[in-house]
Amino acid sequence: MNLLNSSIGNQAGRKVMFNKVNKFAKAVVTVAMAGLMAVGCAADMGEVDLVQPDYIKKSDLLNKTWYYRRTVVDTSENHQPFLSIGTGDLFTIMRIKFDIQENVLVGYTDYEFVEGTEEAGDEGSVFTDYGNPIVAFPITKHFDIARQYDSSTGQPTNVISENSSDNEWFDRDYMRVNWSADLMSHNFFVLDVKSYPVTGGRWLGENQEPANPYRARFTPDEGYFDFTTAHTMMPDWYQCLYEYGFSWFTCGAGESRVRHSFMQMDEQEAAAYKPLDYPDTVPVLDANGAEVLDPETGEVRRSK
């Protein structure tokens, strides 16, 4: 009887042990399957792009010459006498090159306003390869567009984001510019007009509306981009009243919109350009092509 009980007890013990091993094996298989499913789900998620819009590639701006012009595209009624729609950089299209600094994007003329006054290397010269600064816009961020990675293993993930830490600011490929705030204080109107930029919040809002006529068009890789800024314009009332005869009520402050347009210069076309000479007067020539002298003064006769 004792032997029988012992045999039954051994069988029960082995059964309990088998059940424990079986449960442990199932648990291991379950964990492994869950891990495989997690990996599979992660692989099925695809790429997650966290890069925000309104950025620009630096190489699309640099080492190029751009034609630049500002045009008033909307203005208040009391600005009409001196700041009508269509005015702006009167009779002028400027030519600039961009320089990217840490906190500001500066556009310099690529020519001298007065020949010989801005040559690099002259004693006491503060100029290098640039002329006069024309525009300056704040840079809010320098970054690369890169895939995130595990910092401990270096394994890349499926998330693409703006990386502003791995490289120095000047080695990053992209930047975001606050185009709504021109830092240069200059006048380009007929009258002396002080311009105060409107906050950039409206500018950002308008650029999120596809049908908005003031929406920016950024295609510098195709050789053109433009954007429209809002400004509170304050004319010089003394000049307005005494020099132009406008009344106080038609020469007040108001808001206007100015479109900034940039078009890349065609280097080959520019190289083929040959300026023509249009003098105020030309010498009078005889039938043989010789200059005709004035018998009284002895000077060469000239005609307009």
Side-chain angles (χ1 to χ4, degrees):
M1 188 68 179
N2 292 334
L3 291 174
L4 179 61
N5 291 338
S6 177
S7 175
I8 293 174
N10 290 337
Q11 291 179 3
R14 285 195 297 271
K15 186 174 181 181
V16 171
M17 180 62 69
F18 175 79
N19 289 337
K20 290 182 177 180
V21 172
N22 189 34
K23 290 181 179 178
F24 178 75
K26 288 181 177 180
V28 171
V29 172
T30 300
V31 171
M33 292 298 294
L36 291 174
M37 290 177 64
V39 173
C41 290
D44 293 339
M45 287 178 62
E47 292 184 344
V48 178
D49 192 346
L50 301 181
V51 179
Q52 298 302 304
D54 297 325
Y55 62 86
I56 193 166
K57 192 173 184 180
K58 296 179 182 180
S59 60
D60 288 339
L61 291 183
L62 296 178
N63 303 317
K64 301 175 182 178
T65 296
W66 298 86
Y67 293 116
Y68 171 49
R69 194 178 193 278
R70 291 161 291 193
T71 307
V72 177
V73 294
D74 193 16
T75 188
S76 60
E77 187 65 27
N78 60 334
H79 277 176
Q80 290 294 337
F82 62 93
L83 193 63
S84 59
I85 295 175
T87 59
D89 291 314
L90 297 178
F91 317 117
T92 303
I93 296 180
M94 288 173 281
R95 206 174 65 228
I96 67 172
K97 283 190 175 181
F98 285 109
D99 178 45
I100 299 175
Q101 303 174 12
E102 184 173 7
N103 298 314
V104 64
L105 171 68
V106 185
Y108 296 89
T109 58
D110 71 338
Y111 54 89
E112 298 175 295
F113 278 116
V114 179
E115 187 176 355
T117 60
E118 300 169 15
E119 293 181 355
D122 288 352
E123 184 177 355
S125 172
V126 296
F127 295 96
T128 54
D129 297 328
Y130 304 103
N132 288 308
I134 299 298
V135 291
F137 300 98
I139 296 176
T140 59
K141 188 176 184 180
H142 299 267
F143 61 95
D144 289 315
I145 297 178
R147 191 179 297 275
Q148 292 184 1
Y149 58 88
D150 189 310
S151 58
S152 59
T153 65
Q155 183 70 24
T157 70
N158 65 325
V159 179
I160 299 175
S161 62
E162 300 175 9
N163 187 323
S164 57
S165 59
D166 285 357
N167 296 319
E168 294 289 343
W169 68 267
F170 47 81
D171 284 330
R172 300 169 199 163
D173 293 333
Y174 300 88
M175 64 181 176
R176 190 167 283 110
V177 180
N178 180 7
W179 300 105
S180 65
D182 185 358
L183 301 177
M184 297 294 294
S185 177
H186 46 64
N187 172 47
F188 56 95
F189 303 105
V190 175
L191 287 177
D192 182 17
V193 179
K194 294 181 180 179
S195 173
Y196 303 95
V198 176
T199 57
R202 184 193 304 173
W203 189 87
L204 293 175
E206 291 176 346
N207 278 276
Q208 294 174 356
E209 303 170 3
N212 195 302
Y214 303 119
R215 179 181 173 87
R217 295 176 288 180
F218 278 104
T219 55
D221 55 321
E222 300 176 8
Y224 179 82
F225 66 99
D226 68 39
F227 53 90
T228 303
T229 55
H231 302 264
T232 298
M233 301 294 188
M234 180 73 71
D236 184 284
W237 286 316
Y238 175 86
Q239 183 182 6
C240 183
L241 179 61
Y242 290 96
E243 293 191 21
Y244 294 91
F246 300 146
S247 71
W248 181 278
F249 301 101
T250 59
C251 198
E255 185 174 298
S256 298
R257 294 175 183 269
V258 179
R259 174 164 291 138
H260 303 250
S261 303
F262 300 83
M263 185 177 72
Q264 183 181 347
M265 184 181 75
D266 188 319
E267 300 289 347
Q268 294 183 347
E269 182 180 278
Y273 170 75
K274 294 182 179 180
L276 299 177
D277 185 21
Y278 291 98
D280 294 333
T281 61
V282 294
V284 177
L285 306 178
D286 60 20
N288 298 321
E291 295 178 345
V292 178
L293 299 180
D294 189 310
E296 296 182 1
T297 63
E299 297 179 349
V300 176
R301 287 185 176 179
R302 306 186 69 86
S303 65
K304 295 182 179 181

